Amino acid sequence: MSGAAVVASTGINPSTILSKPAIRDREGNLHTVLETMGEYQPKKIYVLLGANGVGWIKQDDFIDYYEQLLEQIERQHPQALIYVQSIFPVTAEKALSENGIYANERIDSYNAALMELCEKRGLPYLNVAEALRGPDGALPAEASTDGIHIIPDYYRKWFDYLKSHTVRPEKE
């Protein structure tokens, strides 16, 4: 992704993304995601929050937090085209662990709610999960070391999907 500015941090989820200082600047000071995003003027913004929140945030709350984030991003970057990406699937082993809190069926339900949110807000929804699933509907075991997070080889599948699923910007 040449020329891309990536604003990311581990441990961020829909309930903390607006308030948790998690990204260090060059001087070592911590800032929230939105504070950091304010340093850029992108034409496109791709939003992705992972499966971690699915395990312990109720779906309605998850969507409410997500909508608050999208409202803030739209306010901060009114000219940007905002894409919302689906939550990635997890491996079959991870889906069965921890009492099923990361079950792919649960993730699919959250993704369906995200898609409805995008329809409501008029934002493009990118179902990246379809590019990462194996034949059984789960993330292939070799795609992850922990069952949730993808390895670098799968970044290419993700980026190829993003490049081939774009929309013509209406905001220019």
Side-chain angles (χ1 to χ4, degrees):
M1 290 187 356
S2 62
V6 177
V7 177
S9 179
T10 57
I12 291 290
N13 64 64
S15 70
T16 62
I17 195 162
L18 292 175
S19 60
K20 181 179 180 180
I23 301 175
R24 290 197 187 278
D25 62 19
R26 289 189 172 106
E27 290 78 40
N29 300 310
L30 286 171
H31 302 278
T32 66
V33 168
L34 280 174
E35 288 169 346
T36 304
M37 286 178 65
E39 300 296 316
Y40 302 95
Q41 293 305 315
K43 292 181 183 175
K44 297 177 188 173
I45 297 172
Y46 292 83
V47 180
L48 171 67
L49 294 172
N52 292 354
V54 169
W56 53 274
I57 301 174
K58 292 187 309 185
Q59 184 171 304
D60 289 344
D61 293 337
F62 184 95
I63 296 302
D64 287 344
Y65 293 135
Y66 222 112
E67 185 165 26
Q68 290 172 38
L69 170 65
L70 294 174
E71 288 171 354
Q72 293 291 325
I73 292 172
E74 288 173 322
R75 196 171 301 129
Q76 186 178 61
H77 298 287
Q79 298 305 314
L81 177 57
I82 301 167
Y83 293 91
V84 176
Q85 299 174 72
S86 65
I87 303 166
F88 294 175
V90 298
T91 63
E93 182 180 355
K94 185 67 174 180
L96 295 172
S97 70
E98 300 179 53
N99 296 319
I101 62 171
Y102 297 109
N104 282 310
E105 294 80 13
R106 183 176 168 102
I107 292 170
D108 291 345
S109 176
Y110 279 61
N111 279 334
L114 273 178
M115 187 166 51
E116 287 177 22
L117 174 61
C118 288
E119 288 172 8
K120 171 183 157 186
R121 298 197 66 81
L123 297 173
Y125 173 80
L126 300 175
N127 187 11
V128 180
E130 68 186 3
L132 302 176
R133 291 184 192 281
D136 63 353
L139 184 67
E142 69 273 7
S144 176
T145 58
D146 65 1
I148 293 180
H149 302 96
I150 60 174
I151 62 170
D153 287 347
Y154 271 71
Y155 280 42
R156 176 63 40 213
K157 290 178 184 259
W158 176 20
F159 298 148
D160 287 346
Y161 183 93
L162 294 180
K163 288 188 288 186
S164 65
H165 290 78
T166 59
V167 296
R168 183 179 309 270
E170 292 179 19
K171 300 176 181 180
E172 296 197 86

